[in-house]
Amino acid sequence: MPRFSIIVPSHGVAGRLSQALDSVLAQSFDDLELIPVCDAPGSPAADVAGEHAERDPRVTPVHSPPSAGLSGARNAGMRAASGTYLLFLDGDDLLLPGALAALDARLGKTGDVDVLYFEHERAPWWEGAPSKPATALLAAAPGGAFAPADAPRITGVPLPAWSAAYRRSFVTEHRLAFPDGHFTDLGWGGLTALAADRVAVLRQVLVRHRLRRQGSRLNLPGEHQRELLDQVDLVLTRAAEQGPAAERARALFDQLFATVLKTASRPERLPSGHRAFFRRAHRLYRRHRPAGYRVPAGSLGVQHRLLAAGAYTAFCALRTANRSAARAAERVPRPRRLRTRLHYRAQLRRPIDPRLAVYCAYWGRGYACSPAAIHAKARELAPHIRSVFLVEAGQKHAVPPDVDHVVIGSRRYWEVLARAKYLVNNANFAEGVVKRPGSVHVQTQHGTPLKTMGVDQSTYPVVAAQSGSFAKLLGRVDRWDFNLSSNRHSTQMWERAFPGSYEALEYGYPRNDVYYTATAQDVARVRRELGVPEGRTAVLYAPTHRDHHTGFEPGLDLEAFCAAAGEDVVVLLRAHYFYDRGRAAADGRIIDVTAHRSSEDVCLAADALITDYSSIMFDYANLDRPIVVYADDWEVYRETRGVYFDLMAEPPGPVARTPEELARVFRDGTYAGPEARALRAAFRERFCQFDDGRAAERVVRRVLLGEPPEALPPVLPLAERVPAPAAVTLARS
């Protein structure tokens, strides 16, 4: 009997089904059976499932007709399952790496609970920043296993079926099944929560739910919206039969009717029969309302009272008033809540604070990159200017304790954005941020462009689909006063990719200053922190993000590379920052440094770099250490993403097309030989043009202190610069 049975309905998602199945089969915990549920033999999804079944005996496809819907497909999968626990995964979603191992470990601590709820993330269709909708709900749950009555809000109703694991014997004993029709997750969640005696939570993201561009089918208009009330009636009737504790019954009623009122407030979802929907909802409300039930506060409470009274005309009037207020709110800056919008508008009326600077890096990921370097230099040269760093709520630990910071979205966040004289970012500030007359916005960028950027992406469909509105992008560009550049190539490409009226500052990238200011002691310290064994050659492997991929794929068997490259080689693996996966970890000769806060520190620790098309090569070239390009899919990358120059014709070092070639250039020393040094010298001359260790100083003096350009420190010629020493001595150009 396998530990887990993973059931994957596939109707309408054949194009992404292979990714969902691969995400399960790639799990490190392999005691599982995978049950893809397909329409019929010969369908596109059945072909995909059949190919996986031929490769892996753990895959057992079953069939369910499209007419049976999602509920029928899941029920068919459950009938075929033999595992101890059941999991459900939509055919276009992903089970994240390590998910089953984490689930098994948690069950080992809690024992055999009936239901184990876990965190999931919702990823926008353009692969934007994901959200974690269950965080607050799961945070309020007890630490170990508990009875549902001990945490009434954890009823299963707010969570989809694929955000929990269910003990199969529990499901069988209570004859649980997915109810027919739409909104089946609502019915299933309520029924399983009512039947469960012992549950637990795992506060870790295990599933990535990829939102469709067309939106959820449940939000589309149509007669199927009436089936929501069928599911509500089913769950509350079962609750009345079982008689749960009063507090739990109230929580269940609350959650179900919050969903009902959301639909009732959107008549566009019901092209006809909106009054009939309201009247039936009114009858269900009166029939199932728990004794002593108190309506919520605010506007939602008013909706409850009107529904309880059956006051359809008044309900429609309230809805109209709310929509009018929402339209009026659109005319003020766009923080999410009306109260926050009004607060921001009030702050915009106050004078700009000439001694306030706001910094942000990578959309709030922490204290990093050029904004951090400018901030540090400003504390030295312009101590009269107060500095505030913007961070996401979950990244406060990534800010040094002596750096003032605010959480993105908080009231103080909008206050400092409204009043700051100086705003420094390596990406872009929020869409609703207003560029005030007299404020100064500095765009630092975060790399030299090889791949196409900005409006140049519009002709590459894969990238353009993820980029959002180019009109909005140019609106954000219009806020820039200064745009930094580290070489003439970047200056030209930024002008082309981000057309605007800003001034280009060819001062170098402040984050690269450390490559000329760090000492041998700094290099040794970083290597110790990362766990690099003394005397070993540390090779940094830093592949870039592929827009045509949905997750991180190493692209190289690192264990095999280490074995072939030589006994003294260790690999520092740094994935793109999109795939920050937690703390740095070592596995034999491979040290995962993806989560390390500073990419500059990682580069200082490395004796050589292997990359594909990542902009890290331009930064690393400042160190004048060996660089090898591993270009196994150059043609695909060039066609899907677009590039500004032919890297194969102008590389920073040897180019390897296969793993065997890559291992050979390290084994025979070619990576650091005369030809490699010549290529690197030409590359440095072109792309390390303005980086000399004083970029942050130039920015601070020009922008924060107002010094004229002619008074700034001139850029030191390349031949006179001395990069930070490598731990392993290699000949330099």
Side-chain angles (χ1 to χ4, degrees), residues 613-624:
Y613 325 117
S614 170
S615 65
I616 199 171
M617 73 178 78
F618 303 95
D619 304 319
Y620 191 83
N622 283 285
L623 290 168
D624 198 13

Side-chain angles (χ1 to χ4, degrees), residues 169-241:
S169 58
F170 154 74
V171 172
T172 303
E173 175 188 349
H174 292 274
R175 299 181 180 179
L176 295 169
F178 283 86
D180 290 340
H182 293 80
F183 303 95
T184 185
D185 277 24
L186 194 73
W188 167 263
L191 296 177
T192 54
L194 287 167
D197 293 322
R198 194 165 176 268
V199 301
V201 302
L202 173 59
R203 299 180 184 91
Q204 179 177 334
V205 174
L206 303 190
V207 169
R208 176 177 295 140
H209 176 56
R210 299 191 286 182
L211 300 172
R212 298 180 177 91
R213 185 180 182 188
Q214 302 88 339
S216 170
R217 298 187 185 98
L218 300 183
N219 294 335
L220 298 176
E223 295 304 309
H224 66 278
Q225 294 289 344
R226 302 177 190 280
E227 297 176 23
L228 168 62
L229 299 180
D230 296 336
Q231 303 289 352
V232 170
D233 193 17
L234 172 68
V235 173
L236 292 179
T237 298
R238 182 70 58 86
E241 295 168 355

Side-chain angles (χ1 to χ4, degrees), residues 547-618:
D547 298 279
H548 53 287
H549 291 174
T550 56
F552 174 64
E553 300 178 18
L556 181 65
D557 186 336
L558 297 178
E559 295 280 3
F561 168 76
C562 287
E567 293 181 357
D568 68 325
V569 170
V570 297
V571 171
L572 304 176
L573 169 62
R574 188 169 183 83
H576 192 278
Y577 60 78
F578 286 174
Y579 310 115
D580 183 340
R581 294 170 294 171
R583 297 182 178 178
D587 182 13
R589 293 165 64 184
I590 301 168
I591 304 172
D592 188 344
V593 296
T594 301
H596 189 76
R597 181 176 59 84
S598 170
S599 63
E600 294 77 46
D601 278 0
V602 172
C603 288
L604 285 173
D607 302 299
L609 168 69
I610 300 173
T611 187
D612 39 25
Y613 325 117
S614 170
S615 65
I616 199 171
M617 73 178 78
F618 303 95

